[in-house]
Amino acid sequence: MLGQVDVIIFIITLIVTALFTAFVRRELIAADIRDNPIVSEHRQKSGTPTMGGFGILLGVILMALFLFNQPSNSYLIITVLIMVAAGFFGMFDDLLGFKVKEYQKVVLNDGDTPVKIGLLTLAPGEEARIASPKAKEDYAQIVEKEHKLKVVDEIPIKSETTETEKIIIQFVVACFIVIPGVLQSNIMGIEIGILMIPLAILAVIGSINAVNLIDGMDGLAAGIIAIASLASAFFASMTTGAVASLPFVVLSGACVGFLVLNHYPAKIFMGDTGSFALGTGYMVAALLGNTLIFSIIALAVPIISVIISLMHRAHIITLPVEPLHHTLNYHGMSEQKIILLYWAITLVVSIVALFIFGVF
């Protein structure tokens, strides 16, 4: 079980990360580095500082330096180094996002009957972005000629790296886990030999994408990683020991510290700088600490969200807005309720997993 020292490390990490995040927020405001959400329901968040993931990175770096001479610090140092590399890759994606790629029109059904445009059917009073290729094809006929919908806004869409470029970047980041030569060849006692290398790379890439996708509402990603990391720390402390649990304790403390300013309504966003770093750090800690299966289960909510989005993109299912948490918001569930729901599910799944694996 986690001891008094772990609690102290958690609290110190929380405090220093909160302080660093406040400092980073002040500097981002001074540099006018602010977010411009594309989801219509979140337009009121425009102007919130982004790239706040630097606050998380500074917090975990300080803790790695603070604990540098401790014998249980080796996994933490490796985790933090790879997190920093991932964070810098995410930073470039954030910087690219300040360039506007296009302006997407927002249309409102101001009539008395439903109107189908693209993949959506807008009921009277509903609005949506003209985003999909099909919707853009329908726009000229339905809006400009038939005047069935009214244009109420235009939203700037960020430039971003292509899906192929993102996978290449994530692959490079994931390969860093192989370099230190500490990657184990078994998964919780099951020997798989050299197959551990491609599995580890896929796990890191999957974790980056899962955390990046779930980072769409105030505190959502940070809260989920905080809960999953704390559960993984409990599990690691019982199965592997302090060297395996320490990275998770620090990750959890950093996430909670970031939530001081990132909880609803958020005063700062982590951006890809933070989501890339957290997704990488979480899975690197799981691979080093031999908690892979448990940690994947604890991350069930973001993983399921990715699966649902992939099914949407493969046209197996249709979402009015992607990802799932935005669909729930689109159908009327408040952002606060969605955040609490996702946190609660993560907590319940983690506790159940701890019981199943015999930790409690």
Side-chain angles (χ1 to χ4, degrees):
M1 296 295 288
L2 298 178
Q4 186 176 7
V5 173
D6 295 302
V7 175
I8 293 172
I9 291 172
F10 174 87
I11 293 173
I12 293 174
T13 308
L14 188 163
I15 293 171
V16 297
T17 303
L19 293 174
F20 275 131
T21 301
F23 167 76
V24 168
R25 179 178 181 271
R26 187 185 68 181
E27 296 304 307
L28 290 171
I29 291 174
D32 197 27
I33 297 176
R34 303 169 187 266
D35 195 34
N36 193 10
I38 65 173
V39 179
S40 302
E41 292 82 356
H42 295 170
R43 295 295 292 161
Q44 75 278 6
K45 299 182 181 182
S46 295
T48 303
T50 189
M51 293 174 64
F54 279 116
I56 296 173
L57 288 173
L58 289 171
V60 298
I61 289 170
L62 182 63
M63 292 309 298
L65 293 173
F66 178 69
L67 300 168
F68 187 79
N69 293 321
Q70 298 300 314
S72 61
N73 190 34
S74 58
Y75 286 180
L76 177 61
I77 291 175
I78 295 170
T79 299
V80 170
L81 286 174
I82 300 177
M83 280 183 70
V84 170
F88 274 103
F89 278 116
M91 175 195 70
F92 292 125
D93 209 31
D94 281 333
L95 292 174
L96 182 61
F98 291 110
K99 180 181 179 182
V100 176
K101 179 175 65 174
E102 64 172 309
Y103 285 87
Q104 289 182 352
K105 291 179 171 58
V106 178
V107 294
L108 169 70
N109 183 357
D110 57 349
D112 300 324
T113 59
V115 177
K116 182 174 176 59
I117 183 167
L119 302 174
L120 301 176
T121 300
L122 299 183
E126 284 189 330
E127 65 178 45
R129 282 186 295 123
I130 304 300
S132 70
K134 181 66 168 59
K136 291 176 181 178
E137 288 178 11
D138 295 344
Y139 174 82
Q141 178 65 33
I142 296 174
V143 180
E144 295 181 350
K145 292 184 179 181
E146 299 178 4
H147 303 289
K148 289 184 177 180
L149 298 173
K150 177 183 178 182
V151 178
V152 294
D153 197 3
E154 287 191 352
I155 298 177
I157 303 301
K158 307 172 184 177
S159 296
E160 57 182 0
T161 52
T162 65
E163 293 299 325
T164 300
E165 290 170 339
K166 283 185 178 181
I167 291 297
I168 293 173
I169 289 170
Q170 292 164 6
F171 177 79
V172 172
V173 170
C175 285
F176 289 150
I177 185 65
V178 182
I179 295 173
V182 295
L183 190 64
Q184 302 187 43
S185 61
N186 69 87
I187 302 176
M188 297 174 65
I190 303 172
E191 186 68 32
I192 63 172
I194 198 170
L195 290 176
M196 191 64 190
I197 293 176
L199 178 62
I201 291 172
L202 287 173
V204 173
I205 292 174
S207 182
I208 293 173
N209 279 284
V211 177
N212 185 247
L213 185 70
I214 208 73
D215 180 35
M217 289 185 171
D218 298 357
L220 187 58
I224 287 174
I225 296 299
I227 295 166
S229 293
L230 195 58
S232 294
F234 272 103
F235 181 76
S237 68
M238 296 297 292
T239 57
T240 309
V243 67
S245 63
L246 181 59
F248 285 119
V249 171
V250 171
L251 267 178
S252 184
C255 286
V256 176
F258 185 69
L259 279 170
V260 171
L261 290 175
N262 182 237
H263 73 276
Y264 185 90
K267 296 177 177 62
I268 189 170
F269 298 144
M270 68 172 67
D272 286 350
T273 305
S275 62
F276 273 47
L278 286 181
T280 300
Y282 179 81
M283 198 51 64
V284 167
L287 289 162
L288 295 176
N290 205 11
T291 68
L292 183 61
I293 295 175
F294 178 89
S295 295
I296 288 175
I297 293 172
L299 205 64
V301 170
I303 291 172
I304 291 172
S305 186
V306 168
I307 293 171
I308 291 173
S309 286
L310 290 175
M311 291 173 67
H312 167 76
R313 295 175 190 181
H315 304 294
I316 298 172
I317 61 174
T318 299
L319 299 176
V321 188
E322 188 193 355
L324 180 60
H325 51 268
H326 287 321
T327 291
L328 295 175
N329 195 214
Y330 177 84
H331 285 300
M333 183 178 287
S334 70
E335 182 172 347
Q336 300 97 309
K337 288 182 179 179
I338 295 169
I339 294 166
L340 291 174
L341 175 65
Y342 276 39
W343 286 0
I345 293 173
T346 301
L347 180 61
V348 170
V349 169
S350 298
I351 292 174
V352 170
L354 287 170
F355 275 104
I356 292 174
F357 281 90
V359 175
F360 291 148

